[in-house]
Amino acid sequence: MCLPDSSLAAVAPPAVSTKVPAASTSVRRSLTLRWIIGVLCSLNFAVFWAVPIVVQGQAFHLGLKYVLRPVYNLLDQSPALRGFATRYIYSKPQYSDFFATALLTLLSSTAAFAAVLRSQLLYGSIPWQLHVAYNFVWVGFGGRVMGAAYTFAHKEGHNALLYQRWWRKSVGNVFECWVGLLFGNVPYNFTTSHNHMHHALDGGKGDSLYCWDFDRTSLSDFMVYQERALRHMSGTSSLHYFKLRGMEEQYRLLRKGMLTYWLFTPLALGLLTRSPWFLFAIWLQPLLAMSFFLALINWGYHAYIELDGNGEHLAVVNSLTILDGQDDYFGEDDHMAHHYSTQTWYTQTHTYRARVMEDLKRHHGSVFKEVSIVELSALTLFGQFDRIAQRHYVDFTGKLSQAEIAAMLRRRAQHKEMSCDEYLDWQRDVDAQLLASKCKAE
């Protein structure tokens, strides 16, 4: 664990010993503060977002999906709608696959925002019933709205040529830079941080969402990790990374996005509504919700690690794949292919899996089935490896017993590249070296 174990509670913070060296004491105090921030983020999530997510998730999977999916399929398969998207919006016909979901998400989030804004301007407040309704619409049945908003910001960040030229010049990345403001997304965070840190480093040391200095089965460690995810969502850790490394293009673009999110947006909303509560509920809360959500799913996507004889990560282990997932969004469940075959179209990720099948068999790759990433992340966090082994793990060799699978997954989830303390020291050393090198060059 990043924080020492406590017999009193699974997430209890440690008392700081006065017998350790000063530098170590400073690190422990820093980790305790991060743990407190994580606990507060978790409590905030439980109060404002857990009920809309759980209730609508259960409602969708227990019955509503049988009603809503046929209606959605009619819209999605409409030749007129796809033709319009191909002719006027997207740069390639295949991208019209996104249009029905994107349109519904855009209409839903815009209408919900218009409703709360109207109430605030007309009556000077948002009734608690409307606030609750807004959070439910923001999440969507089965988490479809929040999931789609995140997914399309992700897709836009990866593909600078997703839209036709006129759209790129006039509107830009509509979800990453516009709709994303209602979903806690700092504009250009995907274009910069996600591409030039998370993918460039494949989740390794230096990544703003690095999690391999934590025990992924520890609730206490997850509390600390949430603070890291919050800094990623805010843009601060990535901006620092780009500045020290002289990555000026990424630095300027992310700084522009941060000014938009942290200065211009609250200033405009504040002047318009004159309401601190409106800013808290409609502008800041989505960032806190998405920060928790991103921490949880990244915790799952990169929960399992295995090193080869040379100390290098096994690619078929450190990013996972979910087959026949309950909540897949255009291939997001195949995180392994997303990292190691990024340009493969989402309907063709099975071709990548076929190419690495021998490695999947040899190393017992991280492939699961019939589960959502949120559920798998939670099962991993709470150590439910027997259940994962029995219901969800895919053993392509057919040779491992359920007990062997559970033991393997537990070992991989608990394995760390280094401790939290060591990682913080490593970060400080690298930052000092980069700063010294930069000063010398100047």
Side-chain angles (χ1 to χ4, degrees):
M1 290 174 61
C2 181
L3 296 174
D5 288 325
S6 169
S7 59
L8 297 178
V11 297
V16 178
S17 170
T18 58
K19 298 182 180 180
V20 296
S24 187
T25 300
S26 175
V27 168
R28 304 308 286 174
R29 286 174 178 166
S30 172
L31 291 175
T32 301
L33 177 60
R34 296 171 192 218
W35 179 90
I36 292 171
I37 292 172
V39 170
L40 292 175
C41 287
S42 296
L43 291 173
N44 180 81
F45 186 83
V47 170
F48 288 97
W49 302 104
V51 172
I53 289 173
V54 172
V55 169
Q56 292 188 109
Q58 290 299 305
F60 182 80
H61 289 295
L62 292 177
L64 277 177
K65 63 182 179 182
Y66 302 110
V67 177
L68 297 178
R69 277 181 175 167
V71 177
Y72 167 79
N73 289 337
L74 285 175
L75 183 66
D76 180 49
Q77 295 166 13
S78 166
L81 195 67
R82 283 178 170 266
F84 175 84
T86 299
R87 191 173 301 111
Y88 299 109
I89 307 296
Y90 297 109
S91 60
K92 292 183 179 180
Q94 68 191 56
Y95 299 154
S96 65
D97 286 3
F98 303 147
F99 190 57
T101 303
L103 181 62
L104 291 172
T105 303
L106 182 62
L107 292 175
S108 173
S109 56
T110 302
F113 178 71
V116 292
L117 182 60
R118 178 180 180 275
S119 175
Q120 182 65 48
L121 295 179
L122 288 180
Y123 307 111
S125 66
I126 307 173
W128 71 266
Q129 299 94 330
L130 182 58
H131 185 189
V132 170
Y134 180 81
N135 284 9
F136 268 77
V137 174
W138 187 93
V139 170
F141 288 115
R144 261 36 188 186
V145 176
M146 65 180 290
Y150 176 89
T151 294
F152 291 131
H154 183 198
K155 299 291 186 187
E156 290 172 345
H158 270 293
N159 189 350
L161 301 177
L162 179 65
Y163 299 112
Q164 291 184 18
R165 181 184 297 274
W166 77 269
W167 184 281
R168 298 198 303 268
K169 295 290 185 181
S170 59
V171 179
N173 288 349
V174 63
F175 283 93
E176 186 184 23
C177 299
W178 297 106
V179 178
L181 294 172
L182 300 177
F183 288 88
N185 187 63
V186 170
Y188 305 112
N189 210 355
F190 282 100
T191 298
T192 57
S193 305
H194 184 74
N195 288 343
H196 296 277
M197 292 180 69
H198 188 64
H199 275 271
L201 300 169
D202 282 321
K205 289 186 296 183
D207 180 22
S208 54
L209 288 172
Y210 179 69
C211 65
W212 295 326
D213 56 331
F214 295 108
D215 173 357
R216 275 83 62 201
T217 67
S218 165
L219 189 58
S220 184
D221 279 17
F222 182 65
M223 295 300 122
V224 181
Y225 182 64
Q226 283 185 71
E227 185 271 344
R228 189 175 295 173
L230 183 61
R231 284 188 290 119
H232 166 85
M233 287 292 294
S234 72
T236 55
S237 56
S238 302
L239 196 71
H240 177 73
Y241 180 95
F242 296 140
K243 182 67 173 179
L244 284 180
R245 286 158 180 79
M247 301 171 69
E248 292 300 322
E249 181 181 353
Q250 289 76 28
Y251 176 81
R252 287 194 297 269
L253 196 58
L254 182 57
R255 183 179 62 183
K256 175 183 175 182
M258 290 177 67
L259 285 172
T260 299
Y261 188 86
W262 291 109
L263 179 61
F264 301 135
T265 301
L267 183 61
L269 289 176
L271 291 174
L272 182 63
T273 65
R274 308 284 182 175
S275 170
W277 176 255
F278 188 93
L279 287 177
F280 174 74
I282 307 303
W283 168 70
L284 185 59
Q285 270 299 323
L287 180 133
L288 298 176
M290 278 298 195
S291 178
F292 180 95
F293 180 73
L294 180 60
L296 184 62
I297 64 171
N298 197 69
W299 193 260
Y301 277 140
H302 298 287
Y304 304 102
I305 59 172
E306 189 86 61
L307 307 182
D308 63 17
N310 298 318
E312 299 294 328
H313 278 266
L314 295 175
V316 295
V317 175
N318 74 0
S319 294
L320 60 79
T321 292
I322 298 175
L323 307 178
D324 301 319
Q326 298 180 27
D327 296 299
D328 188 22
Y329 295 86
F330 304 104
E332 296 286 308
D333 273 357
D334 199 335
H335 206 66
M336 188 187 301
H338 178 62
H339 267 273
Y340 299 107
S341 187
T342 308
Q343 299 305 314
T344 300
W345 186 240
Y346 77 94
T347 61
Q348 300 299 314
T349 56
H350 63 278
T351 61
Y352 171 76
R353 196 158 53 253
R355 293 201 303 270
V356 299
M357 182 54 69
E358 289 307 311
D359 286 338
L360 289 171
K361 292 178 179 179
R362 183 184 307 113
H363 301 299
H364 302 291
S366 299
V367 180
F368 304 87
K369 65 179 180 179
E370 299 171 357
V371 66
S372 72
I373 183 56
V374 174
E375 183 183 359
L376 184 59
S377 298
L379 290 172
T380 300
L381 177 59
F382 291 104
Q384 299 298 304
F385 296 106
D386 287 329
R387 177 173 172 176
I388 297 174
Q390 179 184 22
R391 300 184 183 183
H392 305 302
Y393 183 75
V394 179
D395 176 17
F396 288 109
T397 68
K399 297 179 180 179
L400 296 180
S401 68
Q402 180 180 323
E404 288 173 325
I405 293 171
M408 176 188 72
L409 294 176
R410 184 181 299 277
R411 173 176 54 81
R412 289 176 171 181
Q414 293 178 338
H415 181 68
K416 296 184 284 187
E417 282 192 313
M418 57 178 64
S419 70
C420 260
D421 304 41
E422 291 169 334
Y423 181 60
L424 292 177
D425 287 339
W426 177 86
Q427 279 189 311
R428 275 193 288 268
D429 290 343
V430 169
D431 285 357
Q433 292 169 16
L434 289 170
L435 185 60
S437 177
K438 189 173 183 179
C439 291
K440 185 177 180 180
E442 294 174 351

